[in-house]
Amino acid sequence: MTDFSIYLITDRHQTAGRPLAKVVDQALQGGIRAIQLREKDLPGRDLYDLAMELRQLTDSYDALLIINDRLDIALATNADGVHLGAGSLPVAEARRLLGAEPVIGYSAHSLQEARLAEKEGANFITLGPVFYTSSKVAYGAPLGLQLFREACATISIPVYALGGINLLNCNEAMAAGAHGIALISAIIAAPDPLSITKCLLQKIEKNAIDS
């Protein structure tokens, strides 16, 4: 269930006025196979409606739909799982409620957090920020590649590099041991999400061949 190399996280405020579903559709056309719906400011009903729209899209591409934080929305829309963080329901409790099958991702910002998420039953983690990004300033200075590499070597579940990931540095993250990359703006804000997605996947595939 975590055989994807790019984990696309949504932010409808970065689409330059385009409908989020249209941008996601282009990314799926480009080869994305895992979407995290993360629209924290949407009321429950609006989030449900958007999740249903994306569920239809992801189904048509045989891709995963993972809902940020909201187990109720995930269950109501038959999503593939949820993505949790430090302020969410504990991973162990989410696993108890959801059962063994659904995917649970976790946003970790330290090795300690990552280890706990793994112990409690998460399927994968995003770890970062690896590089500087203005959206993650609240989490402190970037981890940097050395700490990220150490974490990848320690954690047995897939680790996705998050934070400032783009076409220029994705290979560095992969070379440091990442299972894949997690990102928002590099695709969501791109003028041509389909093309940039293809370029990112090509770089990741080439890195895998070379390494």
Side-chain angles (χ1 to χ4, degrees):
M1 293 293 281
T2 54
D3 57 352
F4 50 90
S5 57
I6 298 181
Y7 187 42
L8 179 60
I9 303 166
T10 73
D11 182 352
R12 71 191 192 285
H13 299 298
Q14 295 193 41
T15 64
R18 298 165 295 180
L20 179 63
K22 181 177 180 180
V23 174
V24 169
D25 188 24
Q26 292 175 347
L28 290 165
Q29 287 181 51
I32 292 291
R33 290 297 172 263
I35 304 290
Q36 182 196 148
L37 178 59
R38 183 181 183 272
E39 304 293 335
K40 292 185 175 183
D41 61 332
L42 273 182
R45 179 53 191 262
D46 292 341
L47 185 62
Y48 168 81
D49 289 342
L50 182 55
M52 286 298 295
E53 188 175 10
L54 296 192
R55 174 75 285 183
Q56 291 180 349
L57 270 178
T58 52
D59 277 347
S60 68
Y61 289 94
D62 195 25
L64 298 177
L65 176 65
I66 297 173
I67 308 297
N68 186 73
D69 206 40
R70 297 287 299 268
L71 272 71
D72 56 338
I73 300 293
L75 290 167
T77 58
N78 197 32
D80 297 288
V82 294
H83 195 96
L84 307 173
S88 305
L89 198 66
V91 171
E93 183 64 16
R95 178 59 72 202
R96 185 186 72 81
L97 292 169
L98 293 173
E101 187 71 18
V103 176
I104 297 180
Y106 185 87
S107 292
H109 301 98
S110 68
L111 181 55
Q112 181 181 9
E113 267 192 278
R115 284 174 174 161
L116 180 60
E118 178 184 28
K119 180 181 178 181
E120 291 192 345
N123 297 98
F124 70 95
I125 63 167
T126 59
L127 180 62
V130 178
F131 303 107
Y132 173 80
T133 174
S134 58
S135 65
K136 297 292 184 181
V137 170
Y139 297 104
L143 293 175
L145 287 170
Q146 183 57 39
L147 285 177
F148 181 79
R149 183 179 290 106
E150 292 172 11
C152 289
T154 302
I155 304 297
S156 60
I157 58 176
V159 178
Y160 288 81
L162 175 68
I165 308 295
N166 56 44
L167 194 59
L168 298 176
N169 60 28
C170 63
N171 276 357
E172 295 179 69
M174 296 301 295
H179 184 84
I181 59 174
L183 41 72
I184 303 175
S185 60
I187 291 176
I188 295 293
D192 187 348
L194 190 155
S195 293
I196 194 68
T197 297
K198 286 184 175 180
C199 289
L200 283 162
L201 285 168
Q202 287 171 0
K203 288 199 74 171
I204 291 171
E205 289 167 6
K206 185 177 186 303
N207 181 80
I209 293 171
D210 293 343
S211 58

